Amino acid sequence: VHFMSKNISLEICPIARSLSVLGDAWSMLILRDAHAGFTRFDQFRKSLGIAPTMLTKRLSALVDEGLLEKRQYSEHPPREEYVLTQAGKDFLPVLFVIGAWGRKHKPFENPEKMPIFLDAEQGTEIIPIVIDQVTGAEIGSRTIHQKAE
């Protein structure tokens, strides 16, 4: 993780460290599509409408940061696909929480056209919340304090 500033509080902050990897929309949208089952360059390009050079740069960064892994699926011609690593899979709840925030605070003019994500086993809409594992309280429902070592 490289920071332009020499600010140690940024370097040790887990939010700043995460944003240094995932702080742009393209990277998060690539991960969204990877979670939807996309693995190939052309699938990402078609879904996102992103310039090939930009997509190559973002995919490389996600591979370098350990969120995606490159695997060869064809030798002749040589072709590679991009699959989620455990770190990439662990990002799914973050995507859902960002989506829930967007649905609430940045709704589309026709909200009924926004995609709904369903639990595959139950068939019910997924409505994410973030809970503190220790207290069981919903994050955002209580005052927080930051403790520095």
Side-chain angles (χ1 to χ4, degrees):
V1 178
H2 302 288
F3 291 95
M4 295 175 62
S5 148
K6 294 290 184 197
N7 185 337
I8 191 69
S9 69
L10 288 180
E11 218 162 301
I12 62 173
C13 173
I15 295 171
R17 293 181 67 79
S18 300
L19 288 173
S20 73
V21 176
L22 296 158
D24 70 277
W26 290 124
S27 295
M28 289 192 220
L29 292 172
I30 289 167
L31 289 173
R32 176 203 66 187
D33 285 355
H35 278 281
F38 294 9
T39 60
R40 299 192 178 167
F41 187 91
D42 286 339
Q43 291 174 314
F44 291 115
R45 189 178 52 72
K46 184 178 179 187
S47 171
L48 299 171
I50 184 174
T53 53
M54 181 69 75
L55 179 56
T56 298
K57 184 177 175 183
R58 292 297 185 271
L59 286 169
S60 293
L62 290 168
V63 168
D64 290 346
E65 294 292 345
L67 286 105
L68 294 175
E69 179 182 24
K70 243 196 265 195
R71 289 191 190 153
Q72 190 168 10
Y73 69 87
S74 171
E75 287 189 31
H76 302 290
R79 296 268 190 250
E80 294 174 320
E81 63 182 355
Y82 298 86
V83 294
L84 290 162
T85 62
Q86 189 59 53
K89 291 174 185 175
D90 287 347
F91 196 70
L92 182 61
V94 178
L95 289 172
F96 272 83
V97 170
I98 290 170
W101 182 90
R103 186 177 298 281
K104 180 177 180 181
H105 297 287
K106 295 290 181 188
F108 185 64
E109 60 189 41
N110 300 316
E112 69 279 358
K113 291 187 177 182
M114 295 177 84
I116 294 172
F117 299 97
L118 304 176
D119 179 279
E121 290 180 25
Q122 298 292 320
T124 54
E125 182 178 354
I126 296 170
I127 302 172
I129 60 169
V130 182
I131 301 292
D132 175 53
Q133 187 174 8
V134 175
T135 64
E138 184 175 348
I139 303 292
S141 67
R142 296 181 180 190
T143 304
I144 63 165
H145 298 283
Q146 182 174 331
K147 178 183 172 187
E149 294 298 318

